[in-house]
């Protein structure tokens, strides 16, 4: 079955549960940030298992539910649980959720993730607005025949992270007194963490933080004209900078302890949309 029919069937399944007045803003919750979805005033909760062609998340810290509701009065759809290349999903499968949102009328996509920092000043618990990315995953979700119903064959990525949204994010951070760094996010496929030599190389080529997600969703969103804002929660100093080994449990623990700041920033930002 083609991607197009899969998306039509997803849209149909979601509309049956929620009707037509779908939010124009979507938020993808990264590792450890799932609890934010529970703070949204919820009008509908749709498990991904009820959406026929949604890839299913398999990682601890990723629930797998679409939550439709409001934050500070702004209608919002949350994807509580994201899918990654390292789970075995193809880059093309990762296009399905974003394209489903597009067909439901979403115009703005907020992406969050957990990331390792290449800057020792940007310590665990810090928040970094993504101003640009480097795709080191070896994959692109647009590989294969282009679906011109979504966008052009060779989409521009000059302003992948929307300038106006970046300004609003900075304003929101100022208003709620949350320090917000700004930097370049490099995506690796994972699931192994990087080596110290790789981290030194990524620093040289201009990365400020490193992680295993976000870039596929950004590329798919930009291709179909959705504007993107993205925030990394720094959960650790990258390999070789921390002086200890990296674990996913640390990622989740730091995400838990930084949750208040993330939640404040997201609430303030979303209220501006
Ligand atoms: N590397 C890759 N992905 C990550 C990291 C990291 O150090 N921390 C959280 N996600």
């Amino acid at each position: 079955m083609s991607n197009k029919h899969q998306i039509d069937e997803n849209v149909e399944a979601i509309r049956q549960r929620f009707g037509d007045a779908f939010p124009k803003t979507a938020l993808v919750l990264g590792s450890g940030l799932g609890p934010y979805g529970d703070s949204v005033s919820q009008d509908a909760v749709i498990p991904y298992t009820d959406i026929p062609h949604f890839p299913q998340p398999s990682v601890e810290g990723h629930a797998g539910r679409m939550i439709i509701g409001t934050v500070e009065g702004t209608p919002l759809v949350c994807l509580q649980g994201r899918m990654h290349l390292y789970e075995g999903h193809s880059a093309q499968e990762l296009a399905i959720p974003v394209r489903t949102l597009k067909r439901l009328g979403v115009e703005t996509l907020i992406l969050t993730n957990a990331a390792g920092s290449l800057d020792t000043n940007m310590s665990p618990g810090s928040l970094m607005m993504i101003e640009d990315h480097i795709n080191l995953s070896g994959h692109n979700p647009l590989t294969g025949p282009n679906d011109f119903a979504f966008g052009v064959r060779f989409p521009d990525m000059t302003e992948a992270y929307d300038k106006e949204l970046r300004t609003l994010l900075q304003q929101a951070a100022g208003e709620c007194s949350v320090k917000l760094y700004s930097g370049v996010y490099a995506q690796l496929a994972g699931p192994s963490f990087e080596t110290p030599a790789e981290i030194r190389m990524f620093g040289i080529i201009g990365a400020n933080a490193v992680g295993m997600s976000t870039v596929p969703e950004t590329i798919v969103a930009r291709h179909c004209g959705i504007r993107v804002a993205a925030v990394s929660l720094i959960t650790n100093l990258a390999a070789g900078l921390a002086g200890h080994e990296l674990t996913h449990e640390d990622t989740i623990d730091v995400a838990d302890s930084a949750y208040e700041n993330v939640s404040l920033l997201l609430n303030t930002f979303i209220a501006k949309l």
Side-chain angles (χ1 to χ4, degrees), residues 30-51:
S31 293
L33 298 177
Y36 185 82
D38 302 324
S39 75
V40 172
S41 74
Q42 303 178 350
D43 296 325
V45 177
I46 308 176
Y48 293 169
T49 46
D50 290 356
I51 309 174

Side-chain angles (χ1 to χ4, degrees), residues 114-116 193-194 210-212 235-239 246 251:
F193 287 110
E194 303 70 35
V210 64
M212 304 176 192
T235 53
N236 56 279
L237 293 180
L246 306 181
T251 298

Side-chain angles (χ1 to χ4, degrees), residues 33 36 112 127 178 233 255 258-267:
L33 298 177
Y36 185 82
T112 62
L127 299 180
V178 168
L233 165 56
Y259 177 74
E260 287 295 307
N261 269 352
V262 179
S263 157
L264 196 57
L265 178 64
L266 288 175
N267 286 342

Side-chain angles (χ1 to χ4, degrees), residues 118 131-132 134 183-186 200-209:
L118 276 73
E131 57 185 43
D132 204 349
I134 303 175
V184 173
Y185 175 87
R200 287 193 294 275
M201 177 180 81
F202 303 154
I204 291 167
I205 65 174
N208 303 105

Side-chain angles (χ1 to χ4, degrees), residues 168-250:
L168 284 180
L169 256 177
Q170 298 279 25
Q171 280 173 5
E175 281 170 29
C176 62
S177 302
V178 168
K179 175 147 179 69
L180 184 62
Y181 291 85
S182 178
V184 173
Y185 175 87
Q187 189 212 347
L188 281 299
S192 52
F193 287 110
E194 303 70 35
T195 64
E198 287 168 340
I199 292 299
R200 287 193 294 275
M201 177 180 81
F202 303 154
I204 291 167
I205 65 174
N208 303 105
V210 64
M212 304 176 192
S213 68
T214 303
V215 169
E217 290 109 319
T218 298
I219 292 173
V220 176
R222 292 309 304 133
H223 178 244
C224 65
I226 296 176
R227 52 187 201 151
V228 176
V231 177
S232 290
L233 165 56
I234 300 300
T235 53
N236 56 279
L237 293 180
L241 300 176
H244 56 78
E245 293 187 0
L246 306 181
T247 67
H248 184 62
E249 290 65 36
D250 289 344

